[in-house]
Every structure is written in structure tokens, then in C-alpha cells.
Amino acid sequence: ETGVTQTPRHLVMGMTNKKSLKCEQHLGHNAMYWYKQSAKKPLELMFVYNFKEQTENNSVPSRFSPECPNSSHLFLHLHTLQPEDSALYLCASSPSKAAGGVGYTFGSGTRLTVV
Amino acid sequence: AQSVTQLGSHVSVSEGALVLLRCNYSSSVPPYLFWYVQYPNQGLQLLLKYTSAATLVKGINGFEAEFKKSETSFHLTKPSAHMSDAAEYFCAVSDSRGKLIFGQGTELSVKP
């Protein structure tokens, strides 16, 4: 399988649940990103990983916990979420964090609903 | 610092009409510029990109964009809209460290 794959595609969770989002890329890229996309709001960059190291955390609440065990996999662990965390969560990858001319490859996203 | 402004959060055209989505950028270095398309409940898909070669860039699905340095613009066009073009479109610029900065997005509606 090629490209960036995100699982699950849809997730409904209660505020006290713990769940994880998974992102996998088979492009040989070394940088991976988590974005949040809420209705009627711009894309929000949450985290950046480059060669497995977190290089950016844009003031994301601690109830979101990222993990990057290797350059091909990225997780977003979720716990004690709020209804306003309901959104489309997008994963992206690029050859490296500094690959300005290449752009990012995005997954199809996970639609998260917090009830 | 790099930034992107997309003029118009929503554009509506009739099927067969010209599509014009506007993007202006600010960059202190020669920019790399991108247009992405997002269909409902999908991720972003690269339409086309400018990387300092030809100023007129052709992309997928009949879209093209022209880089105009004097106007700091990178507008997206398509001569004839199709119903399947209805989606959200994002312009992006790469900053000096290679990170993509996205615009707010423009939702394109196509009327029959």
C-alpha cells in the first residue's frame, strides 16, 4: 500500500475514554505532521516530527499525546477529551521538515466525534 | 514571515463557467507555492505546485495557476467548471525552513 494511511476513518468516543489515532506512510518520508481541522476554522498544525524527534508542539493541550516510534508511523493518543475536540484529524508526511519544494502528502483523516 | 491570503471564503460558479480562486502570498525568500484540494471528509490532495521553473503551472483535473512575482499572487484557474470540482481549495507557501503555511481555504460551489 502506498501513500499515507490513517485509521480509523471515523471514531466516536466519550469524554472519559482513551483512544488512539494511527498514521502510517509508505513513502520513505522522514517528517510527519498532525493537523486538526474544525468546521469553519483554518487548518491547525498540532505537532511536527522529523526523524522521529518532535520538533514542534503548537500549544496543544496535554490530553493529546503524540508518539512517533519510527519514521513510518505516527500516533495520536487521546484521553479525557472535550466536545470541542470533535474535528477531522489529518496526518501528513514529507521527505524531511525542510523539504519546502516538495510539499506534504496527506492521509484521508480521522473524523473524531466526542460525546 | 511567510503568509498566505485567500480572497473569498466561498466562491460559486455555474457549470461550464471560468473558475478563479485568488491567492496572495508574502515571502521574504523566493517562494514555493502550492494549491491543494479537499473533497468532503477527505484529506488534502496536491493540485499543483510552483518551484521556480515555469511561471504557468499546470495541475491535475484541468487546473492551472500563474505565479506573478510583481503582484505576489498565485491564482488558480480552470476554464470550464465541472460539478465534480465542488470542494475546498487551499493555497500554501513554503517558509524559509520548508514548513508549509496554509491559507484559510476557499469553498467552491458549482451550480448546474
Side-chain angles (χ1 to χ4, degrees):
Chain A
E1 192 173 345
T2 60
V4 179
T5 303
Q6 290 188 245
T7 54
R9 288 297 312 277
H10 301 272
L11 178 63
V12 179
M13 60 185 289
M15 289 190 283
T16 58
N17 289 161
K18 289 185 180 181
K19 295 285 185 184
S20 296
L21 309 185
K22 180 182 176 182
C23 176
E24 185 174 4
Q25 57 93 2
H26 300 274
L27 300 167
H29 290 172
N30 294 299
M32 298 186 79
Y33 312 81
W34 279 118
Y35 282 86
K36 178 184 178 182
Q37 188 177 34
S38 304
K40 309 299 182 187
K41 285 188 171 182
L43 283 167
E44 298 175 51
L45 179 62
M46 301 173 73
F47 301 103
V48 180
Y49 278 81
N50 197 42
F51 292 92
K52 302 190 300 177
E53 299 298 317
Q54 186 181 118
T55 59
E56 198 162 331
N57 174 341
N58 286 307
S59 304
V60 180
S62 60
R63 57 185 183 269
F64 295 91
S65 174
E67 179 190 2
C68 188
N70 55 61
S71 292
S72 299
H73 295 85
L74 183 65
F75 296 90
L76 188 62
H77 303 300
L78 316 171
H79 65 95
T80 326
L81 293 192
Q82 304 298 311
E84 59 266 27
D85 297 323
S86 298
L88 183 66
Y89 288 84
L90 293 166
C91 174
S93 71
S94 65
S96 73
K97 198 180 78 161
V102 178
Y104 300 168
T105 302
F106 282 83
S108 296
T110 294
R111 172 66 64 185
L112 174 67
T113 304
V114 182
V115 298
Chain B
Q2 281 73 12
S3 66
V4 171
T5 302
Q6 291 184 239
L7 188 61
S9 59
H10 187 262
V11 170
S12 183
V13 301
S14 297
E15 192 172 19
L18 171 71
V19 175
L20 171 60
L21 304 182
R22 299 178 188 272
C23 173
N24 287 89
Y25 69 91
S26 169
S27 177
S28 57
V29 298
Y32 296 124
L33 294 158
F34 306 80
W35 276 101
Y36 284 84
V37 61
Q38 184 181 32
Y39 299 102
N41 287 312
Q42 294 292 320
L44 278 68
Q45 178 185 2
L46 182 66
L47 266 181
L48 50 80
K49 65 181 179 183
Y50 167 76
T51 56
S52 75
T55 56
L56 182 63
V57 183
K58 294 187 184 298
I60 61 173
N61 302 338
F63 284 93
E64 62 182 36
E66 187 172 8
F67 171 68
K68 291 188 176 180
K69 184 178 178 180
S70 61
E71 298 177 9
T72 60
S73 69
F74 190 57
H75 302 330
L76 182 71
T77 60
K78 181 174 180 177
S80 176
H82 192 272
M83 297 296 291
S84 60
D85 294 327
E88 184 136 25
Y89 292 80
F90 292 91
C91 182
V93 63
S94 176
D95 72 8
S96 56
R97 296 169 301 166
K99 189 169 83 174
L100 288 194
I101 309 298
F102 287 91
Q104 307 270 68
T106 298
E107 185 178 355
L108 174 66
S109 300
V110 182
K111 299 175 291 188

